[in-house]
Amino acid sequence: MQLLNSLDELLYAIMSWLIFYPLTLWRTLRSPASMMRYADRELADDVEDRYADTVSPPLFLLLSVLLSHGIELALIGDSPLIRNQRGLSVLVSDDTSLIMMRMIFFGFFPLIMATRLVRLRGASLSHQSLKQPFYAQCYVTAPFALLNGLAATLVQYHQWQGAKELALALLVVAFLWYLTVQARWFADSLGTSLAKGLLHAIVATVGALLIIILMTPVFA
């Protein structure tokens, strides 16, 4: 009976994502600042009452990585990284490990953003002080990760001549949207100008990208 109850809850959770994931995505794209404030407020609620009408921020990021990976499988097939068995790429031997690696890579963005905000506020860095901005950041990182995943898939999709141009356009849109959201977030959170907010956003984004770039050759 316990197993059946667990399966019942699992099935409901998976099927509910079909409704709440697109709703969360739409709300994040339409009003990212509101969703980040929403993430802050929900952490103050009881655990069972949190994110009642959306997908929780870390799960939202994970589902976005899963969705982009599923599109890649449908259009391209297995990633070349799975077939490559040199060096530490042997650790990425299947789709599950590849998804986890991508989740970690995109997880650097909310981590670096949240850490920078805590430091700029002059607060001590702790699990408690980091959690709230990290959760808020997961909401806006999810569409960014989805667009980047789609762009990476289009680069490998050779059956359409304009795929690479569309991939470049998606990357430009993704970074412009992401940096704009982050600039406003830093400006509002720190009570500073939008220009300084943009500077903080660029520094944090470049920091996350540098970490990913330094780690990528290890798995190549």
Side-chain angles (χ1 to χ4, degrees):
M1 289 301 298
Q2 290 179 348
L3 176 60
L4 290 176
N5 288 333
S6 298
L7 291 175
D8 179 70
E9 293 175 1
L10 177 62
L11 177 61
Y12 174 73
I14 293 175
M15 298 308 295
S16 68
W17 294 341
L18 298 177
I19 296 176
F20 290 111
Y21 177 82
L23 285 175
T24 307
L25 180 61
W26 167 246
R27 289 175 61 180
T28 303
L29 292 173
R30 185 185 62 181
S31 184
S34 297
M35 287 301 289
M36 297 175 87
R37 291 191 295 268
Y38 167 81
D40 293 342
R41 293 194 305 269
E42 289 299 297
L43 282 177
D45 289 345
D46 295 332
V47 175
E48 60 272 13
D49 296 328
R50 292 176 185 172
Y51 311 107
D53 56 346
T54 59
V55 177
S56 68
L59 180 59
F60 183 47
L61 178 56
L62 174 59
L63 291 177
S64 298
V65 174
L66 280 171
L67 178 58
S68 66
H69 183 72
I71 295 173
E72 180 185 22
L73 285 177
L75 295 179
I76 308 299
D78 286 336
S79 171
L81 191 59
I82 295 178
R83 297 190 295 268
N84 182 15
Q85 294 299 304
R86 294 177 299 174
L88 290 181
S89 63
V90 297
L91 299 176
V92 185
S93 58
D94 53 25
D95 290 313
T96 301
S97 53
L98 178 60
I99 290 169
M100 292 307 299
M101 185 195 74
R102 288 174 174 172
M103 181 67 181
I104 292 172
F105 278 2
F106 282 108
F108 280 121
F109 287 96
L111 180 65
I112 298 300
M113 294 287 180
T115 303
R116 184 167 182 82
L117 180 67
V118 172
R119 289 300 192 188
L120 289 171
R121 281 176 168 173
S124 60
L125 192 62
S126 65
H127 289 287
Q128 190 64 29
S129 64
L130 190 63
K131 187 174 184 179
Q132 190 177 64
F134 179 83
Y135 268 53
Q137 282 292 324
C138 283
Y139 267 141
V140 294
T141 304
F144 177 69
L146 179 60
L147 289 176
N148 274 272
L150 292 175
T153 298
L154 287 172
V155 169
Q156 305 174 68
Y157 191 66
H158 304 299
Q159 298 183 23
W160 182 37
Q161 192 173 4
K164 291 185 178 180
E165 289 75 12
L166 180 57
L168 179 60
L170 284 177
L171 281 177
V172 171
V173 169
F175 274 93
L176 286 178
W177 179 84
Y178 189 68
L179 287 174
T180 301
V181 171
Q182 298 298 350
R184 291 175 177 172
W185 182 70
F186 275 111
D188 292 341
S189 300
L190 299 172
T192 186
S193 65
L194 189 60
K196 288 184 178 180
L198 178 60
L199 178 61
H200 294 314
I202 292 174
V203 170
T205 301
V206 170
L209 287 173
L210 284 176
I211 293 175
I212 294 173
I213 291 171
L214 291 173
M215 291 182 64
T216 299
V218 175
F219 296 94

